[in-house]
Amino acid sequence: MSKKIAIMNGPNLDRLGKRQPEVYGSHTLDDLEQMVSAEADSLGLSVEFFQSNHEGALVDKIASLGDSGFDGVVFNPGAYTHTSVALRDAIAASGLSVVEVHISNIYQREEFRHKSLTAPVSTGSIAGLGFHGYIAALRFLAQ
Ligand code: CA2
């Protein structure tokens, strides 16, 4: 049976391609999802996409994925990366293999972005590779 992987994006990532192309590129969330879908097909993975601007909705989604047989999650928690104890606790309690992805290199940006509350409870993290980070995370989870 094919592995089931969720691709989750947090707040404001639905605005990709509409503002700040110098930081996040000019492609949209829809472009990202198409690119990830094509890669998932070639890796024989089943993928589900989820984006929310709401912390509680992201917490609920992580918990439900943990309870419904998903094998892994590629997760860009957006700004909640730097603030959310609730998301950290949800990841830690989920039993899921979570790869944290950031489009931009958070370590080259403002100091408040250097700290991730969610990375220490994730399997690994990738920052600064643009959309390629999602593909690298997917390939890792396909193993
Ligand atoms: O680099 C990343 O992927 C981030 O997770 C993106 C978050 C930011 O708060 C993190 O520090 C790093 C912000 C996403 C906002 O994306 C937008 C894209 C276009 C227009 C407006 C926002």
Side-chain angles (χ1 to χ4, degrees):
M1 225 178 54
S2 61
K3 281 192 171 183
K4 290 203 294 182
I5 309 292
I7 316 299
M8 291 182 58
N9 283 292
N12 296 312
L13 287 154
D14 55 337
R15 309 276 300 149
L16 279 172
K18 297 180 177 118
R19 292 268 188 286
Q20 293 184 281
E22 67 289 358
V23 184
Y24 301 115
S26 55
H27 293 286
T28 65
L29 182 61
D30 195 47
D31 295 334
L32 171 65
E33 293 184 351
Q34 283 182 35
M35 180 176 150
V36 170
S37 275
E39 184 68 18
D41 284 350
S42 74
L43 292 168
L45 299 172
S46 152
V47 282
E48 177 181 312
F49 297 99
F50 183 79
Q51 188 277 329
S52 179
N53 295 326
H54 303 278
E55 187 176 15
L58 293 162
V59 168
D60 287 347
K61 189 67 185 178
I62 291 278
S64 81
L65 294 171
D67 292 341
S68 53
F70 271 74
D71 297 291
V73 184
V74 179
F75 190 16
N76 184 345
Y80 290 139
T81 304
H82 318 297
T83 63
S84 180
V85 176
L87 272 176
R88 178 190 174 115
D89 289 348
I91 293 168
S94 70
L96 290 162
S97 181
V98 175
V99 179
E100 180 166 314
V101 172
H102 297 286
I103 296 167
S104 64
N105 185 339
I106 54 176
Y107 306 102
Q108 289 174 347
R109 301 184 64 194
E110 303 95 322
E111 197 152 342
F112 69 85
R113 294 187 206 274
H114 297 182
K115 174 88 182 160
S116 169
L117 295 188
T118 43
V121 293
S122 299
T123 306
S125 59
I126 299 169
L129 304 185
F131 286 6
H132 294 294
Y134 291 78
I135 299 296
L138 198 65
R139 287 188 186 152
F140 170 77
L141 291 169
Q143 294 178 101

